[in-house]
Structures are given as C-alpha cells and as structure tokens.
Amino acid sequence: MMIVLIGPPGAGKGTQGKRLAEKHGLKQLSTGDMLRAEVAAGTDLGKKAQSFIDSGNLVPDDVIVDMISGRIAQDDCRSGVIFDGFPRTVDQAKALDKMLTEKKRPLSAVIELTVDIKELVNRLQTRVAQMKAAGQPIRTDDNEQTLINRLKVYREQTAPILPYYKDRGMLKAVDGMASIGEVSVAIDAILVDSDLKSQCQVSGKR
Ligand code: AMP
C-alpha cells in the first residue's frame, strides 16, 4: 500500500502515519523528520535545508524528490509507504506519480486531514508546552511566527495538490478535528474501501 497523508502543519499527519505504519506494517516516511536528521548530522543536504525549515518555507523540490526517490528504493519500503509531509507541491506530486509508475506501485489512497486553522495554533501551543514539561527539545520551527508562515505556505503551495488528486479521483477527506481514535477509524474505512476496489479491479469484477 502506498498512502499519502495531506494536511496543514499540526493536523495530525505524524500521529496517524505512525499508527497506520504500525497497524499495516508499512514504512512511515516523514520528509520533515528526514530533513531534521540531515540537519542534526550536519550533512550538506542538512545545511542547505536548515534556513528553509527555520523560516517555515519549503525546501526546493529537486532536493526533496531526490531524497524520497532514494529512500523508497530501500528494502524497508517494500511492503508499502505512508508519505507524511510529501508531496507538498504539485511538482512533487507529479514526480511521485512518475516514481511510482516506474516502480509499478500506484498510490492506494490520498487522505486529506481537514482542520480548523485557528485550532492549529492552540494545538501547537499545547504541543510545545507538553514537550517543555517533558524536558524534550522544541523544534526550531515550532513557534507562532513560523507557524503562521507554514500555514501560508500550505495554503499557497500545498493546497493546490488537493484538486490535482481530486481530478484523478484519488482524494478522500477526513475530519482531522475529531479525536485521534475517530480519525483512525475514518482512515481505516477509506483504506478498506480502496483495498476492496483494487482487488475488484485486479479480478475484473468492477
Ligand atoms: P514538517 O515536519 O513536515 O512540518 O516539515 C518541517 C519543514 O521541513 C517544513 O516547514 C519545510 O521547510 C521542510 N519540508 C518537509 N517536507 C517537505 C517537502 N515535502 N517539501 C519541501 N519542504 C519540506
């Protein structure tokens, strides 16, 4: 199964991606986590990405596409991938289509987590407070000013991928403001549906 999770920062993609990966034995690929690991390791890629991350802007498409295309070729992605935070532009979505077509591994579902933007700022504040209380490091882009830019970037550069997938009949929306458990149930229902449909297509029953 190849699944894309889309939603603004703080919508719950990471939480749902982790759960889906555990439940279905898939690999969760968070481009944000991958970039932060490169920054922490001090690689050239990390140095290039740092200022984009800190300002809440997108790292250039070619950097991200190269990073993902190398990663999905690895063994631990063989049973399937949950893409969390990728694609984030229409060009990234097109590049993903091309990669998956070449590998004959089409997307099973594209799931949008819809949210109330005002509520996101509250969620961010809660997350930062919880991490501080637990003595965990706070992400350099987890502050109100950067979040506002990340939301603007989402609206201007990432939201256009929604009609891209809708036009291809792939987009399913889930209310990301529901509880974590309710969101999980809604996502599972979509996956069962898309799994059944793909099985019917294979056996010619549609
Ligand atoms: P995230 O952890 O997904 O919120 O990502 C944190 C930051 O990493 C973003 O604000 C971007 O600067 C960068 N980033 C993550 N994924 C991508 C992507 N697919 N395309 C471009 N930049 C990305």
Side-chain angles (χ1 to χ4, degrees), residues 1-6 20-21 24 26-27 29 80-84 86-87 96 100 106-111 187 191 194:
M1 250 193 296
M2 305 301 259
I3 299 164
V4 167
L5 291 180
I6 302 176
L20 279 172
H24 300 280
L26 307 172
K27 184 71 194 169
L29 291 187
V81 174
I82 315 275
F83 295 100
D84 157 6
F86 173 85
L96 178 63
L100 296 183
L107 280 177
S108 313
V110 176
I111 299 170
I187 292 177
L191 295 186
S194 62

Side-chain angles (χ1 to χ4, degrees), residues 10-186:
K13 300 185 298 292
T15 305
Q16 293 300 332
K18 184 165 181 278
R19 190 200 59 87
L20 279 172
E22 282 164 6
K23 180 164 180 184
H24 300 280
L26 307 172
K27 184 71 194 169
Q28 177 183 14
L29 291 187
S30 153
T31 40
D33 285 350
M34 291 165 78
L35 290 168
R36 282 184 287 277
E38 298 282 346
V39 170
T43 64
D44 287 346
L45 197 164
K47 285 178 190 143
K48 199 169 173 183
Q50 174 107 60
S51 62
F52 293 100
I53 297 173
D54 289 348
S55 60
N57 290 317
L58 295 183
V59 174
D61 285 342
D62 56 335
V63 174
I64 298 288
V65 169
D66 278 358
M67 186 174 80
I68 279 285
S69 104
R71 188 65 188 80
I72 61 174
Q74 291 176 18
D75 273 358
D76 59 353
C77 292
R78 206 176 284 163
S79 56
V81 174
I82 315 275
F83 295 100
D84 157 6
F86 173 85
R88 254 172 154 109
T89 63
V90 172
D91 281 347
Q92 289 183 18
K94 288 180 182 167
L96 178 63
D97 278 349
K98 190 163 173 274
M99 267 181 241
L100 296 183
T101 303
E102 280 166 11
K103 293 187 190 314
K104 297 190 173 54
R105 301 183 73 188
L107 280 177
S108 313
V110 176
I111 299 170
E112 178 195 5
L113 298 178
T114 60
V115 291
D116 169 354
I117 295 293
K118 278 189 204 145
E119 180 57 25
L120 286 182
V121 179
N122 293 339
R123 281 191 181 185
L124 172 87
Q125 284 165 342
T126 308
R127 183 165 85 188
V128 170
Q130 281 169 347
M131 291 181 76
K132 270 189 188 154
Q136 290 170 352
I138 311 294
R139 278 171 48 169
T140 49
D141 57 351
D142 261 351
N143 59 70
E144 210 166 315
Q145 199 190 344
T146 307
L147 178 70
I148 287 165
N149 189 42
R150 285 159 72 199
L151 291 172
K152 180 171 174 275
V153 166
Y154 178 81
R155 207 174 45 240
E156 293 175 357
Q157 297 181 59
T158 304
I161 65 180
L162 299 172
Y164 175 85
Y165 284 124
K166 194 170 181 199
D167 289 350
R168 286 158 182 74
M170 306 212 55
L171 187 68
K172 306 280 178 202
V174 166
D175 176 11
M177 302 312 292
S179 69
I180 292 176
E182 286 166 336
V183 175
S184 301
V185 168

